[in-house]
Amino acid sequence: MRELKTIEYWLSDMDGVLVHEGTPVAGAEAFLSKIVSSGRRLLVLTNNSLYTPRDLSARLAAAGLDVKPEWIWTSALATAKFLADQRPHGTAYVIGEAGLTTALHQVGYILTDLNPEYVVLGETRNYSFDQITRAVRLIERGARFICTNPDPVGPSQEGSLPACGAVAAMITKATGVLPYFVGKPNPLMMRSAIRQMGGHSEAAVMIGDRMDTDVVSGMEAGMETVLVLSGVTRRHEIERFPYRPSYVFDSVADLVELVE
């Protein structure tokens, strides 16, 4: 394992690492400040495709964290980059919010329900049965099926909400067509993030709070990985997985002195 002080490119998950239920994790502000002052490059990753980077930057600012929009990489941006590489200036029928539709518009995609090349499923606050039915019929007619992320549920103040992965399963059951998931744990999202930074995996680290998304995707992308115990995965659960993080810390507060 490399010493973390030699790392040039720092990728970090957002929920459970920097914030928890809208409140900054202790030490997150100091960690972000140290990354910036050291001249290292930072990118905050999230599977959340609801919001644009500007939206997320504003939400983090409200929580007391200064994260510029250009430091944020969402599954929506990764999906748009993937589609632009696969079929430049293509067409897509989209189920999602501004985070996804804006990202697709920015890469030159046309959003339409008239014989689109892709059906792209993201997250939305209100999944419409009519939209899902339309997606099913378009896929039956040959549209390719893409999803921003495989997360089956998302959080809310009232409890869990069905998310992209759960709705994708319903569409798959109806069509027999499996989607291609772009977001974590697909290492494609990590590789696209590193390219966005102009970096290389050998000089990068991924910080996350989940073994089954952050750590595995960082590892498969060829990066060092840091598991912080401020989110989902608990210390005693690490041994249940067939792979290990490069480092384990209680929180990002423990990383402040390791960035030089």
Side-chain angles (χ1 to χ4, degrees), residues 181-260:
F181 293 106
V182 176
K184 298 179 293 181
N186 189 343
L188 174 73
M189 183 169 175
M190 301 296 178
R191 295 191 185 104
S192 66
I194 293 172
R195 286 195 295 270
Q196 180 72 10
M197 302 170 80
H200 192 280
S201 60
E202 292 182 357
V205 65
M206 176 63 200
I207 308 167
D209 69 309
R210 293 185 64 121
M211 287 289 290
D212 58 349
T213 56
D214 305 313
V215 171
V216 68
S217 55
M219 177 192 71
E220 290 180 353
M223 292 186 285
E224 298 288 300
T225 57
V226 171
L227 176 72
V228 292
L229 303 175
S230 53
V232 174
T233 301
R234 306 266 68 87
R235 187 179 294 275
H236 71 274
E237 296 174 318
I238 298 173
E239 294 299 328
R240 294 169 51 189
F241 293 87
Y243 48 86
R244 294 183 58 83
S246 307
Y247 307 88
V248 180
F249 295 103
D250 288 333
S251 75
V252 289
D254 300 314
L255 296 172
V256 175
E257 298 304 319
L258 299 178
V259 181
E260 295 185 358

Side-chain angles (χ1 to χ4, degrees), residues 16-39:
V17 178
L18 301 178
V19 293
H20 182 69
E21 295 182 354
T23 302
V25 170
E29 184 178 6
F31 169 71
L32 292 171
S33 297
K34 188 66 176 293
I35 291 288
V36 173
S37 64
S38 69

Side-chain angles (χ1 to χ4, degrees), residues 3-212:
E3 290 189 22
L4 287 174
K5 63 183 179 181
T6 67
I7 295 294
E8 294 291 332
Y9 303 95
W10 292 74
L11 290 79
S12 174
D13 186 36
M14 187 168 66
D15 295 316
V17 178
L18 301 178
V19 293
H20 182 69
E21 295 182 354
T23 302
V25 170
E29 184 178 6
F31 169 71
L32 292 171
S33 297
K34 188 66 176 293
I35 291 288
V36 173
S37 64
S38 69
R40 300 293 194 266
R41 297 291 302 278
L42 169 72
L43 207 57
V44 176
L45 277 63
T46 176
N47 263 358
N48 188 326
S49 66
L50 284 169
Y51 304 107
T52 67
R54 287 183 63 189
D55 296 333
L56 290 171
S57 176
R59 293 171 73 88
L60 288 168
L65 298 179
D66 182 14
V67 180
K68 299 185 186 308
E70 57 267 30
W71 299 348
I72 297 174
W73 191 247
T74 70
S75 64
L77 293 173
T79 297
K81 179 67 169 61
F82 170 75
L83 290 177
D85 290 342
Q86 292 288 307
R87 291 177 180 268
H89 304 290
T91 58
Y93 176 68
V94 177
I95 300 176
E97 301 273 347
L100 181 56
T101 57
T102 300
L104 288 169
H105 278 140
Q106 287 175 339
V107 298
Y109 256 64
I110 295 172
L111 308 188
T112 179
D113 62 353
L114 301 175
N115 299 315
E117 295 168 289
Y118 293 97
V119 166
V120 182
L121 175 66
E123 291 163 318
T124 176
R125 299 173 185 84
N126 295 290
Y127 285 105
S128 160
F129 186 76
D130 289 340
Q131 287 182 315
I132 293 170
T133 300
R134 187 64 173 157
V136 166
R137 292 172 181 170
L138 290 170
I139 292 169
E140 287 177 336
R141 295 173 193 167
R144 301 158 187 86
F145 188 17
I146 301 287
C147 290
T148 58
N149 68 82
D151 301 348
V153 295
S156 77
Q157 292 183 342
E158 294 77 27
S160 295
L161 293 172
C164 190
V167 178
M170 181 166 57
I171 294 174
T172 292
K173 190 69 174 178
T175 62
V177 176
L178 292 168
Y180 182 71
F181 293 106
V182 176
K184 298 179 293 181
N186 189 343
L188 174 73
M189 183 169 175
M190 301 296 178
R191 295 191 185 104
S192 66
I194 293 172
R195 286 195 295 270
Q196 180 72 10
M197 302 170 80
H200 192 280
S201 60
E202 292 182 357
V205 65
M206 176 63 200
I207 308 167
D209 69 309
R210 293 185 64 121
M211 287 289 290
D212 58 349

